Amino acid sequence: MMLRALAKRLNSTVTRAEGNSLVHAGRSLSTAAPSSLSKSSPLSQHGGVHGTRTTQKTWRNKPLFRREGDVRFRTGTEAAEMLINEVKRRDSHEKDFVQVFENALQTLAPVFERIPKYAFVAKEFLEPERIFQFRVSWLDDSGSYRMNRGFRVQYSSALGPFEGGLHFHKDVNAGMVKSMAFARVFTNALTGCEMGAAVGGADFNPMNKSEAEIQRFCQAYMTELSKYIGPDQDLPGVGTGVGAREIGYLYGQYKRMSIHHAQKGKGLLWGGVYPFPQATASGVVHWAARVLEGKGDSLEGKRCLITGSGKMALHVAEKLVEMGAVPLTLSDTSGHVYEPDGIDAAKLKTIMKIKSERGARIGRYIIASTTAKYNEPENVFSVPADLVFPCATHNEIDGVTATMLADMGVQGVFEGSHMPCTNQAISIFKKRGILHGGHVATLAADSIFNGLELSKSSPSMHDLDGRIKEAVDSIYLEAKATAKEFNVRGDMHAGAIMAGFLRVADTIICHGAV
Ligand SMILES: NC(=O)c1ccc[n+]([C@@H]2O[C@H](COP(=O)([O-])OP(=O)(O)OC[C@H]3O[C@@H](n4cnc5c(N)ncnc54)[C@H](O)[C@@H]3O)[C@@H](O)[C@H]2O)c1
C-alpha cells in the first residue's frame, strides 16, 4: 500500500519528458549544457520524492520559526521577510551579508509562494556549513612582526566539494567573505559543475608589499588554510589580489605541507584559472552579449562605461573591444579617465602597461593620450553610455546613481565586481526596464573553468572562451525558463538566483536537510 503511494507520488513528480528537458512538476531541468557539464546532480532531480511539490498546504501550516512562539507565513513574500528578519537579528553587524541575503531572498519569494517547503530549506542558507577565521603571522622586510586576519567560509557542499576564490585586499572582512561565499552557492549551482561553494581571503594588501613579503605572507596563510582544504574537500582559486604569483607561492606551501600531490584541474591545488586571468571577465561580457541577443540586439558599437582598472575591469574592456563594443572609461580610487571616441586595443595596451606597475594611478594615462579626459565629467556615471560594467568595488551604484543612469537612457548594467549595486539600485533597474546582469550569473566563468577540468586538455584561451560562451548560453536558457515559470518573465537576475537555489535546495532535501 505504502509502496503504491510512493510510486504514485514519483509518477506525479516527473510530469513529462520533452526533448532534452525533463519537466519536474513544473520546473524544467535543461540538459542542453555542454556534455562535460552535468547540469544537475542526480539527487537534485528528485526534489519531489520528499514531497517538495506535493505537500504545499501541509508546509504552509508548519511554523517557519519557533523561537518566540510558532510563526507561520501566509504568502511567499511573508516567508522571505521572516527569513530576512532572522538574518538581520543574527548578523546585523555583517552588512554585506545582510544585503546580499536580502536581495536573494526577496527574489525567491515567488518560489516560496508556489512551493512553501522551499522556505524551510532556505533556513539552511542562513548559516554557512563552517567558517574559519585565523591569525596569519609573518615577518616583513624590516624584520617586524606582522599579523593579518585570514578567512575561509565554506558555505555549502550540497553539490560537491567546496570551490571558490581567495581575495587578498585591505578591506576584506568576515561579512564580506561570507556574502561572497553565499552568492557563490548560487553561481556554482548554475554552472552545473557539481561544486559546492566557499570563499576565503585575508585583510592583506599585496599592492604595497615586496615580492619577499608576499611570499612569506602566502606561506603563512597557507600553513593554516591547508588544514581545511584538499582535492575532494575544498578547492580555492584566484581572486582579487590573488593571481599567478600568489597562487604559485600558496601552492608551493600547500605541496610542502601535504603528502598528496594536488590533482590537475582542481582549482588552486593545481593553479586553477591563473593561466587565463581574463576568463572571469570573458564570462561577464558573454553574459551581456547573450542577454542583448535575447532582445534581438548585440554588443556591436555599444558605448560602455567601465569602473575600476584592476584585473576584472581591464579584461572586461579587452573582451568588449574584441566583441566590437566601445569601452569609454576606466577608474581607480584616485579618479577616472574618459576617452570620448573609445578605448581601442592600442590604448588599452598602454593603460595595461601603466597599471601593471605597482601603485600606478589611472590618471597617468592622460600623459599618453591627447584625447583622454581626466575626471571630466566629475562623476564617472555621468558619462553618456549604452551599457555599464561596474568592476571596481561593492555598492558603487546606489539608488541615486541608478536613477541617473535610467534618465540618461542606459540599456543595461552588467556586474563585473561582487555586489556593485545596492538593493535599491536593483529595484530601480527593474522598475525602469534596465537589463541587469547580477554577479550571481555574470561571475560564473572561473567556476566553469574549474568544473570543466580543462587542464587535462591544456586548452588555449580561444578554446576556453568557446566553452565559457557555451556554458553561459546554457545558464542563460535555464535562468530565462525559471524566470518565466515563476512569473518574473525577462528578469534574468531573478531567474538565475531561482535556478541556482532550486538546484541546491532539491539536493539539500535529498540529504535530509543537512
Ligand atoms: N580578480 C578575480 O579573479 C575576480 C573574480 C571574481 C570576482 N572578482 C570581483 O571583481 C572585483 C574587482 O576585482 P579585481 O580583481 O579587478 O580587483 P582589484 O583590486 O585589482 O581592482 C579593483 C579596482 O577598482 C578600483 N577601485 C576600488 N574602489 C574604487 C572606488 N571606490 N572608486 C573607483 N575605483 C575603485 C581600484 O583602484 C582598482 O583599480 C571585486 O569585486 C572582486 O570580488 C574578481
Side-chain angles (χ1 to χ4, degrees):
M1 192 66 183
M2 271 177 67
L3 277 175
R4 219 171 328 163
L6 182 63
K8 199 171 159 200
R9 193 189 284 181
L10 274 167
N11 279 339
S12 70
T13 306
V14 179
T15 54
R16 67 193 157 96
E18 198 177 56
N20 60 355
S21 74
L22 275 180
V23 179
H24 287 254
R27 181 158 86 87
S28 121
L29 294 169
S30 164
T31 52
S35 54
S36 46
L37 290 178
S38 154
K39 280 307 290 180
S40 67
S41 99
L43 282 177
S44 72
Q45 296 188 359
H46 299 288
V49 171
H50 295 268
T52 308
R53 297 157 204 285
T54 51
T55 53
Q56 295 191 33
K57 285 193 183 123
T58 325
W59 282 97
R60 216 183 276 273
N61 290 334
K62 290 180 204 267
L64 185 58
F65 291 106
R66 314 195 77 157
R67 205 168 39 83
E68 289 161 0
D70 291 357
V71 191
R72 298 185 173 79
F73 60 88
R74 279 162 301 174
T75 64
T77 307
E78 240 176 60
E81 285 307 317
M82 284 163 70
L83 289 157
I84 292 165
N85 288 340
E86 183 62 1
V87 112
K88 286 180 177 166
R89 185 186 71 79
R90 291 155 53 107
D91 299 316
S92 57
H93 57 292
E94 293 176 334
K95 301 248 177 305
D96 290 331
F97 177 62
V98 172
Q99 182 179 329
V100 76
F101 189 91
E102 188 168 11
N103 179 253
L105 269 282
Q106 281 169 348
T107 302
L108 289 170
V111 176
F112 305 150
E113 174 70 29
R114 180 147 348 141
I115 309 154
K117 186 175 181 178
Y118 281 127
F120 291 81
V121 186
K123 273 206 292 188
E124 300 297 318
F125 287 69
L126 283 165
E127 194 66 40
E129 282 183 32
R130 61 192 70 85
I131 298 177
F132 300 107
Q133 182 176 313
F134 46 90
R135 184 170 63 206
V136 187
S137 304
W138 53 286
L139 274 182
D140 70 17
D141 287 346
S142 70
S144 297
Y145 294 125
R146 301 291 288 266
M147 196 274 291
N148 288 87
R149 196 175 260 178
F151 305 95
R152 185 70 178 166
V153 176
Q154 297 181 333
Y155 217 102
S156 168
S157 62
L159 298 181
F162 301 103
E163 189 274 349
L166 297 176
H167 301 269
F168 291 169
H169 191 279
K170 64 180 175 48
D171 296 333
V172 165
N173 59 49
M176 184 191 282
V177 176
K178 194 166 149 189
S179 71
M180 288 196 269
F182 173 78
R184 189 92 181 176
V185 174
F186 302 89
T187 306
N188 282 5
L190 278 174
T191 66
C193 294
E194 299 186 1
M195 290 187 302
V199 168
D203 59 352
F204 169 82
N205 181 12
M207 293 305 286
N208 56 8
K209 305 292 184 306
S210 73
E211 195 73 24
E213 286 174 332
I214 291 171
Q215 181 174 340
R216 284 196 293 275
F217 176 82
C218 288
Q219 290 175 342
Y221 179 83
M222 180 51 83
T223 302
E224 183 62 27
L225 185 73
S226 63
K227 295 170 190 165
Y228 321 118
I229 62 171
D232 298 316
Q233 195 181 347
D234 185 346
L235 310 163
V238 293
T240 299
V242 179
R245 176 185 51 189
E246 290 76 16
I247 290 286
Y249 296 146
L250 289 163
Y251 176 56
Q253 182 71 356
Y254 175 81
K255 187 163 65 68
R256 198 151 64 150
M257 301 189 63
S258 168
I259 51 168
H260 303 292
H261 214 287
Q263 291 174 18
K264 272 203 149 202
K266 296 290 185 185
L268 167 73
L269 301 180
W270 153 76
V273 77
Y274 87 78
F276 306 114
Q278 62 275 60
T280 316
S282 154
V284 177
V285 178
H286 278 307
W287 182 265
R290 187 61 187 86
V291 169
L292 287 172
E293 192 189 320
K295 300 275 171 199
D297 204 344
S298 81
L299 277 174
E300 192 69 41
K302 289 279 179 304
R303 292 169 64 78
C304 304
L305 191 161
I306 306 172
T307 60
S309 53
K311 191 162 59 174
M312 181 61 82
L314 293 173
H315 290 305
V316 161
E318 188 181 35
K319 189 73 193 165
L320 284 170
V321 171
E322 189 192 311
M323 294 184 73
V326 185
L328 299 172
T329 60
L330 286 163
S331 68
D332 63 21
T333 44
S334 69
H336 62 271
V337 290
Y338 168 35
E339 277 283 8
D341 294 329
I343 300 171
D344 60 18
K347 288 173 177 164
L348 189 59
K349 205 170 157 195
T350 308
I351 296 175
M352 283 178 162
K353 194 159 173 247
I354 291 170
K355 288 299 287 186
S356 66
E357 277 174 39
R358 183 168 303 193
R361 309 276 70 194
I362 191 81
R364 255 178 58 189
Y365 170 66
I366 54 163
I367 300 168
S369 166
T370 51
T371 46
K373 298 178 180 188
Y374 183 60
N375 287 347
E376 194 191 325
E378 199 180 332
N379 181 353
V380 67
F381 292 107
S382 316
V383 170
D386 302 310
L387 305 174
V388 177
F389 290 83
C391 302
T393 185
H394 60 288
N395 289 343
E396 44 182 320
I397 301 183
D398 59 11
V400 175
T401 305
T403 306
M404 193 169 90
L405 295 177
D407 291 345
M408 289 189 333
V410 163
Q411 272 177 266
V413 176
F414 299 94
E415 300 180 354
S417 53
H418 171 73
M419 232 173 66
C421 305
T422 63
N423 291 346
Q424 200 195 358
I426 294 171
S427 56
I428 289 169
F429 297 154
K430 211 166 157 179
K431 272 192 215 126
R432 304 284 302 265
I434 295 183
L435 301 170
H436 174 224
H439 57 99
V440 161
T442 55
L443 297 180
D446 55 350
S447 30
I448 290 168
F449 177 90
N450 285 335
L452 287 169
E453 295 188 3
L454 283 175
S455 61
K456 283 176 186 147
S457 54
S458 302
S460 63
M461 184 56 212
H462 182 262
D463 293 339
L464 174 60
D465 197 53
R467 305 292 284 272
I468 289 173
K469 184 173 182 298
E470 202 183 340
V472 162
D473 200 45
S474 159
I475 293 172
Y476 171 85
L477 292 174
E478 186 175 8
K480 189 175 169 197
T482 311
K484 184 176 165 206
E485 188 193 337
F486 287 97
N487 297 331
V488 285
R489 189 191 284 259
D491 186 343
M492 300 304 293
H493 174 64
I497 289 177
M498 287 170 173
F501 170 80
L502 288 168
R503 189 164 285 162
V504 181
D506 283 349
T507 309
I508 287 177
I509 292 169
C510 287
H511 290 167
V514 290

